[in-house]
């Protein structure tokens, strides 16, 4: 619910369609979701580089990066996680309007929150990318030693340990990161974007 009063939306004289035409590709949001350590950030970084090399206008929003600035006042309670994803959804919507391909890499554990972002975007603009890996695999990787800290009780509300993760039921793209290399994952996503004539 908007608390601000006496506000008016100001339309631009440049449309999203015109921006897309100038860029030479459609604008979409590739929403990476998965457990910590599932490969979301790693794949999104590699994909952003691959898109850039093709002269495609893309920008990546990463969970940790966003919490350094825009969302530095949010913790990891269910309420704060919901607000974290709401804000990112709104930023993603603006970037889509700017004609960009936006890559987001957030655990975003709740299905309802991801669905809410899908609802604020136009049909076909929200592409859910599920980085699929078991808790066991992610815990073995544990690149940031977060699972170790969660098991030791040093981190509370950690997804997969003492907080839930609701896996996507109808993700547009499922990348099994237990068996798929980063390069293969990037190619899988590029193939999807080409098949859908987004790029």
């Amino acid at each position: 619910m908007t608390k601000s009063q006496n506000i008016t939306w100001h339309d631009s004289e440049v449309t999203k369609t015109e921006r897309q035409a100038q860029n030479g590709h459609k604008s979409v949001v590739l929403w990476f979701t998965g457990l910590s350590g599932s490969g979301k950030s790693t794949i999104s970084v590699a994909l952003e580089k691959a898109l850039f090399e093709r002269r495609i206008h893309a920008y990546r929003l990463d969970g940790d990066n966003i919490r350094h600035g825009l969302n530095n006042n949010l913790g990891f309670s269910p309420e704060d996680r919901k607000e974290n994803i709401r804000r990112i959804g709104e930023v993603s919507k603006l970037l889509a309007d700017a004609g960009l391909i936006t890559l987001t890499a957030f655990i975003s554990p709740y299905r309802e929150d991801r669905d809410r972002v899908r609802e604020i975007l136009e049909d076909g603009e929200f592409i859910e990318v599920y980085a699929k890996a078991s808790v066991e695999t992610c815990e073995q990787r544990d690149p940031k030693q977060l699972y170790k800290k969660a098991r030791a009780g040093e981190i509370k509300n950690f997804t997969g340990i003492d907080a839930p993760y609701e896996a996507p039921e109808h993700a547009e793209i499922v990348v099994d990161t237990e068996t798929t290399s980063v390069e293969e994952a990037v190619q899988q996503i590029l193939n999807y974007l080409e098949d859908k004539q987004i790029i």
Side-chain angles (χ1 to χ4, degrees):
M1 176 180 244
T2 303
K3 291 183 178 179
S4 303
Q5 300 294 316
N6 304 309
I7 58 172
T8 304
W9 185 270
H10 289 265
D11 288 319
S12 172
E13 289 193 13
V14 182
T15 68
K16 182 195 296 186
T17 303
E18 289 170 333
R19 296 179 204 277
Q20 291 174 343
Q22 187 177 72
N23 290 342
H25 58 77
K26 294 180 182 175
S27 53
V28 294
V29 176
L30 288 160
W31 191 279
F32 288 81
T33 179
L35 294 167
S36 177
S38 63
K40 301 180 302 299
S41 293
T42 303
I43 295 168
S44 67
V45 165
L47 178 61
E48 182 184 37
K49 180 120 185 284
L51 290 169
F52 179 81
E53 288 171 349
R54 291 178 174 220
R55 299 185 178 276
I56 292 168
H57 302 270
Y59 192 79
R60 184 177 58 87
L61 300 172
D62 182 80
D64 282 0
N65 295 357
I66 292 295
R67 284 181 177 274
H68 275 95
L70 179 66
N71 292 348
N72 67 5
N73 65 324
L74 299 176
F76 291 92
S77 68
E79 296 76 23
D80 280 3
R81 286 177 182 271
K82 185 178 289 294
E83 176 61 13
N84 184 51
I85 298 307
R86 188 196 70 78
R87 291 183 194 177
I88 298 313
E90 292 293 344
V91 171
S92 297
K93 181 180 178 182
L94 293 173
L95 293 177
D97 188 57
L100 304 180
I101 290 181
T102 307
L103 318 176
T104 75
F106 296 83
I107 293 172
S108 47
Y110 304 121
R111 203 172 290 127
E112 179 184 19
D113 295 341
R114 298 191 303 267
D115 288 344
R116 190 170 291 117
V117 177
R118 184 187 292 273
E119 287 168 10
I120 66 169
L121 292 164
E122 292 183 18
D123 285 348
E125 278 187 345
F126 183 90
I127 300 170
E128 195 169 36
V129 183
Y130 177 29
K132 183 179 179 181
S134 66
V135 174
E136 293 75 23
T137 297
C138 294
E139 193 163 2
Q140 285 168 9
R141 293 172 180 165
D142 207 9
K144 303 175 192 173
Q145 298 297 297
L146 297 178
Y147 286 93
K148 184 178 180 181
K149 290 178 181 177
R151 293 287 187 196
E154 297 172 28
I155 300 176
K156 301 294 183 190
N157 296 317
F158 189 75
T159 305
I161 302 298
D162 61 347
Y165 176 73
E166 299 171 2
E169 295 178 330
H170 307 290
E172 281 77 9
I173 303 171
V174 177
V175 180
D176 185 343
T177 64
E178 294 188 16
T179 60
T180 306
S181 70
V182 173
E183 295 75 20
E184 289 169 338
V186 168
Q187 192 57 56
Q188 179 183 346
I189 298 166
L190 289 173
N191 290 345
Y192 178 93
L193 296 176
E194 289 172 350
D195 289 345
K196 297 293 183 181
Q197 298 183 323
I198 293 164
I199 61 174

